[in-house]
Amino acid sequence: MRAWNRRATAGAAALAAGLTLAACNGSGSDATANGPSGSLAVMDDWRGCEVFGDFTDLQERLGATGIDGELQSDGLEEGIDAEAAGCAGLFDLAAFADTQGSFDFSVTGDATARGGLAPWSTEAEAEANFADRVEQRRENPAGVAYTDQTEGELGGDWDESLYIAADSANRFYLDAYGRKGDWVVYLSIDFLHDPGVDAYETAPEFYPDSDADQMAVYPFTTDELVAWVTGEHLTQIQTDIVERAESEAGR
Protein backbone atom coordinates (compact mmCIF):
# COMPACT_ATOMS: atom_id res chain seq x y z
CA MET A 1 0.00 0.00 0.00
CA ARG A 2 1.42 3.35 -1.01
CA ALA A 3 1.08 6.23 1.43
CA TRP A 4 -0.84 9.18 -0.01
CA ASN A 5 -1.44 11.20 3.13
CA ARG A 6 1.44 13.56 3.82
CA ARG A 7 -0.55 15.69 6.25
CA ALA A 8 -2.10 14.05 9.30
CA THR A 9 -5.66 15.33 9.57
CA ALA A 10 -8.68 13.97 11.33
CA GLY A 11 -10.49 13.94 8.02
CA ALA A 12 -7.86 11.84 6.29
CA ALA A 13 -7.85 9.39 9.19
CA ALA A 14 -11.61 9.01 9.02
CA LEU A 15 -11.46 8.61 5.27
CA ALA A 16 -8.87 5.83 5.43
CA ALA A 17 -10.78 4.02 8.15
CA GLY A 18 -14.04 4.34 6.25
CA LEU A 19 -12.52 2.72 3.19
CA THR A 20 -11.18 -0.37 4.96
CA LEU A 21 -13.80 -2.91 3.96
CA ALA A 22 -14.39 -6.53 4.88
CA ALA A 23 -13.02 -9.09 2.48
CA CYS A 24 -16.33 -10.90 1.99
CA ASN A 25 -16.77 -9.26 -1.40
CA GLY A 26 -13.12 -9.52 -2.39
CA SER A 27 -11.78 -10.14 -5.87
CA GLY A 28 -11.92 -13.88 -5.44
CA SER A 29 -15.70 -13.85 -5.92
CA ASP A 30 -15.57 -11.68 -9.04
CA ALA A 31 -14.25 -14.10 -11.58
CA THR A 32 -15.93 -17.01 -13.26
CA ALA A 33 -14.11 -20.06 -14.56
CA ASN A 34 -13.68 -18.16 -17.84
CA GLY A 35 -12.40 -14.96 -16.25
CA PRO A 36 -14.13 -11.77 -15.14
CA SER A 37 -17.47 -10.73 -16.58
CA GLY A 38 -19.79 -7.76 -16.34
CA SER A 39 -18.31 -4.33 -15.73
CA LEU A 40 -15.28 -5.93 -14.09
CA ALA A 41 -14.25 -7.33 -17.48
CA VAL A 42 -14.43 -3.85 -19.01
CA MET A 43 -13.01 -1.75 -16.17
CA ASP A 44 -10.37 -4.05 -14.71
CA ASP A 45 -7.47 -1.90 -15.97
CA TRP A 46 -8.94 1.55 -15.28
CA ARG A 47 -7.05 4.01 -13.07
CA GLY A 48 -8.93 6.00 -10.48
CA CYS A 49 -7.85 9.50 -11.43
CA GLU A 50 -8.85 8.80 -15.04
CA VAL A 51 -12.38 8.17 -13.77
CA PHE A 52 -12.47 11.41 -11.77
CA GLY A 53 -10.68 13.58 -14.32
CA ASP A 54 -7.81 14.25 -11.90
CA PHE A 55 -10.37 16.04 -9.70
CA THR A 56 -10.09 19.04 -12.02
CA ASP A 57 -13.73 20.08 -11.64
CA LEU A 58 -13.65 19.47 -7.90
CA GLN A 59 -10.49 21.53 -7.47
CA GLU A 60 -12.06 24.38 -9.39
CA ARG A 61 -15.21 24.23 -7.26
CA LEU A 62 -13.14 24.20 -4.05
CA GLY A 63 -10.95 27.04 -5.26
CA ALA A 64 -7.89 24.88 -4.60
CA THR A 65 -4.64 26.83 -4.69
CA GLY A 66 -2.42 23.76 -4.94
CA ILE A 67 -2.00 20.05 -4.36
CA ASP A 68 -0.08 18.87 -1.31
CA GLY A 69 2.26 16.38 -2.95
CA GLU A 70 0.54 14.73 -5.90
CA LEU A 71 -2.62 12.84 -6.69
CA GLN A 72 -2.53 9.12 -6.03
CA SER A 73 -4.16 7.14 -8.81
CA ASP A 74 -4.72 3.43 -8.15
CA GLY A 75 -6.04 0.50 -10.12
CA LEU A 76 -7.93 -2.46 -8.72
CA GLU A 77 -6.15 -4.34 -5.92
CA GLU A 78 -3.96 -1.32 -5.18
CA GLY A 79 -4.05 1.43 -2.57
CA ILE A 80 -6.14 1.48 0.59
CA ASP A 81 -9.28 0.26 -1.21
CA ALA A 82 -8.34 -2.82 -3.19
CA GLU A 83 -11.89 -3.27 -4.50
CA ALA A 84 -11.88 0.03 -6.38
CA ALA A 85 -9.87 2.05 -8.85
CA GLY A 86 -9.18 5.03 -6.63
CA CYS A 87 -8.07 8.64 -6.79
CA ALA A 88 -6.93 10.58 -3.73
CA GLY A 89 -5.53 14.02 -3.09
CA LEU A 90 -4.86 16.69 -0.50
CA PHE A 91 -5.56 20.26 -1.55
CA ASP A 92 -4.62 23.67 -0.22
CA LEU A 93 -7.54 26.09 -0.13
CA ALA A 94 -7.80 29.82 0.41
CA ALA A 95 -6.09 31.43 3.41
CA PHE A 96 -7.28 34.03 5.90
CA ALA A 97 -4.74 36.48 7.37
CA ASP A 98 -5.24 39.27 9.88
CA THR A 99 -3.46 41.49 12.37
CA GLN A 100 -4.85 42.30 15.80
CA GLY A 101 -2.62 44.76 17.60
CA SER A 102 0.89 43.34 17.45
CA PHE A 103 -0.33 39.82 16.68
CA ASP A 104 -0.26 38.55 13.09
CA PHE A 105 -1.90 35.28 12.19
CA SER A 106 -2.81 33.29 9.10
CA VAL A 107 -4.81 30.09 8.57
CA THR A 108 -4.81 28.17 5.29
CA GLY A 109 -7.77 25.99 4.41
CA ASP A 110 -7.32 22.44 3.20
CA ALA A 111 -9.40 19.62 1.77
CA THR A 112 -9.03 15.87 1.36
CA ALA A 113 -10.76 13.98 -1.44
CA ARG A 114 -10.96 10.26 -2.18
CA GLY A 115 -13.01 8.76 -4.98
CA GLY A 116 -13.31 5.23 -6.26
CA LEU A 117 -14.98 3.03 -8.86
CA ALA A 118 -15.68 -0.58 -7.85
CA PRO A 119 -16.70 -2.79 -10.81
CA TRP A 120 -18.15 -6.25 -10.26
CA SER A 121 -19.04 -9.26 -12.34
CA THR A 122 -22.66 -9.31 -11.20
CA GLU A 123 -25.26 -6.85 -9.99
CA ALA A 124 -25.70 -8.87 -6.79
CA GLU A 125 -22.03 -8.34 -5.91
CA ALA A 126 -22.37 -4.61 -6.55
CA GLU A 127 -25.49 -4.45 -4.37
CA ALA A 128 -23.64 -6.14 -1.52
CA ASN A 129 -20.64 -3.85 -1.93
CA PHE A 130 -22.83 -0.74 -1.91
CA ALA A 131 -24.46 -1.94 1.32
CA ASP A 132 -21.06 -2.71 2.88
CA ARG A 133 -19.77 0.78 2.13
CA VAL A 134 -22.83 2.51 3.52
CA GLU A 135 -22.77 0.34 6.64
CA GLN A 136 -19.06 1.06 7.16
CA ARG A 137 -19.68 4.81 6.98
CA ARG A 138 -22.56 4.62 9.43
CA GLU A 139 -20.48 2.59 11.86
CA ASN A 140 -17.96 5.49 11.91
CA PRO A 141 -14.91 3.36 12.84
CA ALA A 142 -12.68 6.43 13.19
CA GLY A 143 -14.98 7.77 15.88
CA VAL A 144 -15.39 11.24 14.37
CA ALA A 145 -17.67 13.38 16.54
CA TYR A 146 -20.16 14.25 13.81
CA THR A 147 -22.86 16.89 14.31
CA ASP A 148 -25.77 18.10 12.17
CA GLN A 149 -25.69 14.93 10.07
CA THR A 150 -28.04 14.74 7.09
CA GLU A 151 -28.72 12.10 4.43
CA GLY A 152 -30.23 12.08 0.97
CA GLU A 153 -30.12 10.54 -2.51
CA LEU A 154 -27.98 11.63 -5.43
CA GLY A 155 -29.47 13.41 -8.40
CA GLY A 156 -29.67 11.53 -11.66
CA ASP A 157 -30.51 7.95 -12.64
CA TRP A 158 -29.07 5.52 -10.08
CA ASP A 159 -30.25 2.08 -9.05
CA GLU A 160 -29.48 3.14 -5.50
CA SER A 161 -27.63 6.08 -4.02
CA LEU A 162 -26.94 7.83 -0.74
CA TYR A 163 -25.01 10.78 0.56
CA ILE A 164 -24.22 11.59 4.17
CA ALA A 165 -23.14 15.12 5.06
CA ALA A 166 -21.95 15.99 8.55
CA ASP A 167 -20.12 18.68 10.45
CA SER A 168 -17.57 18.38 13.26
CA ALA A 169 -15.68 20.78 15.51
CA ASN A 170 -13.17 21.73 12.80
CA ARG A 171 -14.10 20.01 9.55
CA PHE A 172 -17.03 19.23 7.29
CA TYR A 173 -17.50 15.75 5.78
CA LEU A 174 -19.38 14.59 2.69
CA ASP A 175 -19.56 10.91 1.68
CA ALA A 176 -21.54 10.00 -1.44
CA TYR A 177 -22.25 6.56 -2.93
CA GLY A 178 -24.00 5.48 -6.11
CA ARG A 179 -24.67 2.11 -7.74
CA LYS A 180 -25.50 1.66 -11.40
CA GLY A 181 -26.03 -1.97 -12.35
CA ASP A 182 -22.90 -3.93 -11.50
CA TRP A 183 -20.60 -1.08 -10.47
CA VAL A 184 -20.35 1.26 -7.50
CA VAL A 185 -18.82 4.73 -7.38
CA TYR A 186 -18.12 6.85 -4.33
CA LEU A 187 -16.65 10.23 -3.46
CA SER A 188 -15.58 11.36 0.01
CA ILE A 189 -14.55 14.93 0.76
CA ASP A 190 -13.65 16.67 3.97
CA PHE A 191 -12.37 20.20 4.48
CA LEU A 192 -11.35 22.61 7.19
CA HIS A 193 -14.03 25.11 8.13
CA ASP A 194 -13.67 28.38 6.23
CA PRO A 195 -10.89 30.21 8.12
CA GLY A 196 -12.48 33.62 7.55
CA VAL A 197 -15.87 32.52 8.83
CA ASP A 198 -14.21 30.78 11.77
CA ALA A 199 -12.27 33.95 12.66
CA TYR A 200 -15.47 35.97 12.75
CA GLU A 201 -17.47 33.42 14.70
CA THR A 202 -14.65 32.97 17.22
CA ALA A 203 -14.29 36.69 17.97
CA PRO A 204 -17.01 38.80 16.31
CA GLU A 205 -16.07 41.74 18.51
CA PHE A 206 -12.86 42.11 16.50
CA TYR A 207 -14.89 42.69 13.32
CA PRO A 208 -17.78 45.00 14.27
CA ASP A 209 -18.27 46.24 10.71
CA SER A 210 -18.33 42.80 9.08
CA ASP A 211 -20.12 39.46 9.23
CA ALA A 212 -19.36 35.80 8.54
CA ASP A 213 -20.44 35.94 4.89
CA GLN A 214 -18.25 38.97 4.17
CA MET A 215 -15.23 37.37 5.80
CA ALA A 216 -15.54 34.00 4.05
CA VAL A 217 -12.51 33.15 1.91
CA TYR A 218 -13.80 29.98 0.26
CA PRO A 219 -15.62 30.44 -3.08
CA PHE A 220 -18.41 28.13 -1.89
CA THR A 221 -20.66 27.54 1.07
CA THR A 222 -21.14 24.10 2.55
CA ASP A 223 -24.69 23.88 1.20
CA GLU A 224 -23.54 24.90 -2.27
CA LEU A 225 -20.81 22.27 -2.34
CA VAL A 226 -23.12 19.49 -1.16
CA ALA A 227 -25.73 20.46 -3.78
CA TRP A 228 -23.13 20.51 -6.56
CA VAL A 229 -21.47 17.20 -5.67
CA THR A 230 -24.71 15.29 -5.14
CA GLY A 231 -26.83 16.97 -7.80
CA GLU A 232 -24.41 17.63 -10.66
CA HIS A 233 -20.87 16.35 -10.25
CA LEU A 234 -21.52 12.66 -9.59
CA THR A 235 -24.19 12.64 -12.28
CA GLN A 236 -21.53 13.77 -14.75
CA ILE A 237 -19.06 11.20 -13.40
CA GLN A 238 -21.72 8.53 -13.99
CA THR A 239 -22.24 9.69 -17.56
CA ASP A 240 -18.49 9.63 -18.22
CA ILE A 241 -18.17 6.11 -16.80
CA VAL A 242 -21.06 4.77 -18.87
CA GLU A 243 -19.79 6.36 -22.09
CA ARG A 244 -16.26 5.05 -21.60
CA ALA A 245 -17.50 1.55 -20.69
CA GLU A 246 -19.76 1.39 -23.74
CA SER A 247 -16.90 2.58 -25.98
CA GLU A 248 -14.45 0.02 -24.63
CA ALA A 249 -16.97 -2.82 -24.59
CA GLY A 250 -17.69 -2.19 -28.28
CA ARG A 251 -14.07 -2.53 -29.38
Side-chain angles (χ1 to χ4, degrees):
M1 178 177 73
R2 292 177 289 171
W4 61 273
N5 188 354
R6 296 180 176 84
R7 181 166 51 201
T9 67
L15 191 57
L19 290 169
T20 306
L21 300 176
C24 61
N25 286 316
S27 58
S29 65
D30 303 336
T32 67
N34 297 319
S37 59
S39 64
L40 181 60
V42 177
M43 305 174 184
D44 63 337
D45 62 349
W46 290 17
R47 308 292 296 180
C49 287
E50 297 172 356
V51 175
F52 290 89
D54 291 333
F55 288 144
T56 299
D57 291 343
L58 178 60
Q59 292 184 64
E60 180 178 356
R61 181 65 55 159
L62 293 171
T65 60
I67 300 176
D68 186 0
E70 60 184 28
L71 295 179
Q72 177 173 322
S73 187
D74 299 317
L76 297 180
E77 301 184 0
E78 298 176 3
I80 64 173
D81 183 357
E83 296 174 334
C87 187
L90 298 170
F91 307 106
D92 296 319
L93 305 186
F96 175 81
D98 192 24
T99 299
Q100 293 293 333
S102 60
F103 179 62
D104 297 329
F105 67 96
S106 177
V107 179
T108 300
D110 69 81
T112 301
R114 175 87 197 182
L117 171 66
W120 298 92
S121 291
T122 68
E123 189 164 335
E125 288 174 316
E127 289 175 350
N129 189 248
F130 178 90
D132 283 347
R133 292 179 183 278
V134 169
E135 179 182 6
Q136 186 79 2
R137 166 60 182 82
R138 286 180 169 153
E139 287 178 352
N140 186 18
V144 178
Y146 293 121
T147 60
D148 300 324
Q149 185 161 291
T150 60
E151 298 185 8
E153 295 183 350
L154 303 180
D157 179 22
W158 300 90
D159 293 312
E160 50 186 335
S161 68
L162 176 73
Y163 74 82
I164 302 176
D167 210 350
S168 74
N170 298 306
R171 305 184 72 82
F172 186 86
Y173 297 81
L174 174 61
D175 298 285
Y177 311 87
R179 180 183 67 82
K180 185 68 174 176
D182 57 4
W183 55 267
V184 175
V185 68
Y186 65 85
L187 178 61
S188 294
I189 305 165
D190 66 82
F191 56 87
L192 186 71
H193 289 164
D194 189 303
V197 174
D198 189 59
Y200 178 82
E201 293 180 343
T202 299
E205 66 274 15
F206 289 166
Y207 311 100
D209 299 322
S210 190
D211 59 36
D213 290 340
Q214 292 175 342
M215 290 181 59
V217 295
Y218 290 169
F220 63 91
T221 66
T222 297
D223 289 345
E224 289 170 348
L225 184 69
V226 171
W228 177 75
V229 170
T230 63
E232 299 179 38
H233 184 51
L234 282 172
T235 300
Q236 183 60 55
I237 294 294
Q238 182 203 81
T239 298
D240 295 343
I241 291 170
V242 170
E243 289 179 351
R244 179 178 173 184
E246 289 176 347
S247 175
E248 295 190 7
R251 290 178 184 174

